[in-house]
Amino acid sequence: MQTTLTPAAEGFHDLPEARPLCCGITAHLVDPSHIQPARAWRLSRHDEISRARHTGWYADHGQFEILTGYVYVFAEETDDDNDEPPTTYYALVESNDTDCHYLDPDAYDDPVTAAHAADRMAELIAELGRDCDAVRCAAMRARSGLVEANSIRREALGILRHVRACAADAESLGPAFARLWRQGLAGRRRAFDIVDERRPPPRTNPFDPERTATREECLADAWRDGWDCGASA
């Protein structure tokens, strides 16, 4: 086993500072331009090294985004062709949907260890992603259901206003009013049940791009995003 490891900051280009993330890891948040060094190349996907039975982790409940662990290898150049260059391995997580990837700030001298680290990173990041996606989808269902229920209630109130102006139509329009009113109430009840069950506590601190959000803040942001999207659904 080698004893000299090349730090990630020396093996790759212009890495942003590694920061602790609320999913339980510390990583450089990188894009493809950061992980194209002159003397490093992708060795393999994590499962091809560690013989894991899976290739990645779903980061959303729709199973659209997949996070996959990879291992990069870095070989030092030497002046003597007979000397075997020391090798350093890095753990990386890539998304199939975005250009934001995660690079482990630690270096490894064993490819299997790096593969396990990459897979564990992908698992933790994906788990938080699924939790946020579930909260976002719940907020969308609640808001869109509330919008639809309120629309039905307005239709029922329109019938009521007409009946008040033209009492002769009360008998024929009464059942339609009652049906719509019950439907609207049921829809609002379902929406508020979702809010009561799934809404996380709101943020207590404003969004700050210079600070890593906590898990609770990520969930609160996901709810707000879904709530806003549900208004136009």
Side-chain angles (χ1 to χ4, degrees):
M1 302 289 284
Q2 71 183 63
T3 58
T4 303
L5 300 177
T6 304
E10 295 182 15
F12 294 84
H13 296 307
D14 302 322
L15 289 181
E17 181 181 0
R19 60 171 61 182
L21 305 179
C22 60
C23 59
I25 68 169
T26 296
H28 302 278
L29 274 64
V30 299
D31 61 46
S33 67
H34 298 133
I35 50 178
Q36 296 176 354
R39 298 190 305 277
W41 61 94
R42 181 179 296 169
L43 175 66
S44 192
R45 212 170 50 211
H46 75 93
D47 58 297
E48 297 174 357
I49 300 173
S50 66
R51 298 185 179 180
R53 295 181 180 273
H54 63 278
T55 59
W57 301 88
Y58 290 115
D60 61 303
H61 283 271
Q63 299 185 353
F64 178 78
E65 182 181 7
I66 301 174
L67 298 180
T68 304
Y70 286 94
V71 175
Y72 268 72
V73 61
F74 178 88
E76 292 273 3
E77 291 183 344
T78 62
D79 295 331
D80 189 345
D81 293 338
N82 295 323
D83 289 341
E84 183 178 350
T87 303
T88 301
Y89 299 92
Y90 306 102
L92 179 80
V93 174
E94 290 192 359
S95 167
N96 69 332
D97 187 44
T98 71
D99 282 339
C100 185
H101 306 328
Y102 305 84
L103 177 66
D104 189 343
D106 295 328
Y108 300 89
D109 62 0
D110 178 69
V112 176
T113 304
H116 286 310
D119 185 43
R120 180 58 175 164
M121 287 172 61
E123 180 183 8
L124 291 172
I125 300 168
E127 181 180 4
L128 176 63
R130 291 193 302 273
D131 290 345
C132 288
D133 186 56
V135 168
R136 187 180 300 108
C137 291
M140 288 182 63
R141 291 197 307 273
R143 186 68 182 276
S144 61
L146 192 59
V147 168
E148 181 181 2
N150 287 338
S151 176
I152 293 172
R153 278 164 55 91
R154 286 193 295 270
E155 185 178 352
L157 291 174
I159 294 176
L160 183 60
R161 287 192 296 270
H162 174 80
V163 168
R164 286 176 175 174
C166 185
D169 293 337
E171 184 176 355
S172 61
L173 294 179
F177 166 78
R179 174 179 55 80
L180 291 172
W181 189 255
R182 288 194 299 269
Q183 186 177 347
L185 286 178
R188 286 173 59 86
R189 193 177 302 114
R190 287 192 297 270
F192 285 122
D193 284 345
I194 295 175
V195 172
D196 291 340
E197 179 183 354
R198 302 300 302 274
R199 180 175 61 181
R203 263 183 178 268
T204 57
N205 297 314
F207 176 77
D208 182 0
E210 299 300 322
R211 180 179 63 83
T212 302
T214 65
R215 175 182 173 82
E216 290 71 23
E217 289 172 339
C218 288
L219 295 175
D221 291 341
W223 178 272
R224 173 53 59 186
D225 181 47
W227 188 260
D228 292 341
C229 291
S232 56

